[in-house]
Amino acid sequence: MAKPDDLILQLLKIMASALKNLSQYDESTIPSAADRSFGIVVAEWNTAITHALFQGCWDTLVQHGAKEENLTVIQVPGSFELPAAAKLLLANRTMDAVICLGCVIQGETSHNEYINHAVAHGLTTLSIASNVPCIFGVLTPNDEQQALDRAGGRHGNKGVEAAVTALRMADLKHSLKQGGKTRIGF
Ligand code: RBF
């Protein structure tokens, strides 16, 4: 028979893995996308992964009411190009949020660190400067399996989560513009 300590450990492991999969969410709490427009920027590197992220993202937006004509999709060579493409998009179209999807797999050199930091910094700066939420949907795995686990595998699909974040942030932006409400996002 398993000892109590073992049982607690098993329970903690189950809870930890459940918590890692944020793709399971309460759909009723997510704001509608019906009147919103979104940009989706997708990096070509590791296409199998980024296209799985894209699929999850697209399906989630549509499932929550987004109209296809209000979704602009751009493909860029690599993740490093995501912030620049997001900025170009915002310079030419009105968007409620831009979702950036990529996958930078760790290799033998430290290229991944430079790219990841640059993208994270670029998207943060752009979000703040433009007042349009730019969502970081970039996987930063150590290997391909970790990427697969997060692109529709055992840790969910981070493209779905990026879409949910975009919906929530777009709603936050509109709620603040309209004024009135003092508790937003609860
Ligand atoms: N882009 C990615 O999106 N994922 C990668 O795993 C990735 N690995 C790269 C590895 C090296 C050594 C280099 C030089 C580039 C890599 N890129 C990757 C491409 C990068 O994001 C960008 O497209 C190019 O550096 C051109 O600006």
Side-chain angles (χ1 to χ4, degrees):
M1 205 168 86
K3 287 185 280 177
D5 279 0
D6 292 342
L7 287 174
I8 290 169
L9 203 65
Q10 268 176 16
L11 194 63
L12 283 173
K13 276 186 188 162
I14 292 166
M15 283 165 68
S17 66
L19 284 172
K20 274 184 204 151
N21 187 348
L22 302 176
S23 304
Q24 286 160 0
Y25 59 95
D26 180 359
E27 288 178 18
S28 68
T29 64
I30 305 303
S32 167
D35 300 322
R36 304 277 180 261
S37 52
F38 295 97
I40 310 174
V41 190
V42 190
E44 266 171 40
W45 265 74
N46 304 308
T47 306
I49 304 289
T50 60
H51 283 195
L53 296 176
F54 169 70
Q55 201 60 57
C57 176
W58 175 277
D59 290 348
T60 304
L61 294 176
V62 171
Q63 184 189 333
H64 286 283
K67 299 180 187 84
E68 293 196 9
E69 63 266 27
N70 292 335
L71 302 178
T72 306
V73 182
I74 298 177
Q75 187 150 281
V76 292
S79 295
F80 189 78
E81 281 69 46
L82 290 170
K87 187 165 189 283
L88 285 172
L89 186 57
L90 290 177
N92 292 289
R93 308 264 171 101
T94 303
M95 297 276 153
D96 292 298
V98 180
I99 302 159
C100 295
L101 304 172
C103 172
V104 186
I105 301 181
Q106 192 180 336
E108 287 181 2
T109 62
S110 47
H111 70 273
N112 58 310
E113 289 175 27
Y114 290 95
I115 297 172
N116 293 337
H117 284 295
V119 178
H121 184 255
L123 293 181
T124 308
T125 309
L126 180 59
S127 295
I128 292 166
S130 65
N131 274 336
V132 178
C134 296
I135 311 302
F136 183 84
V138 180
L139 299 183
T140 60
N142 296 328
D143 54 45
E144 201 181 348
Q145 187 56 53
Q146 285 187 348
L148 289 166
D149 289 345
R150 290 158 180 77
R154 68 195 182 101
H155 290 311
N157 185 324
K158 300 299 165 189
V160 171
E161 295 174 31
V164 169
T165 304
L167 288 166
R168 293 189 57 189
M169 290 303 289
D171 189 62
L172 172 68
K173 186 169 145 70
H174 280 266
S175 301
L176 286 169
K177 237 192 238 168
Q178 282 160 3
K181 278 205 255 174
T182 52
R183 277 175 69 105
I184 296 168
F186 285 86

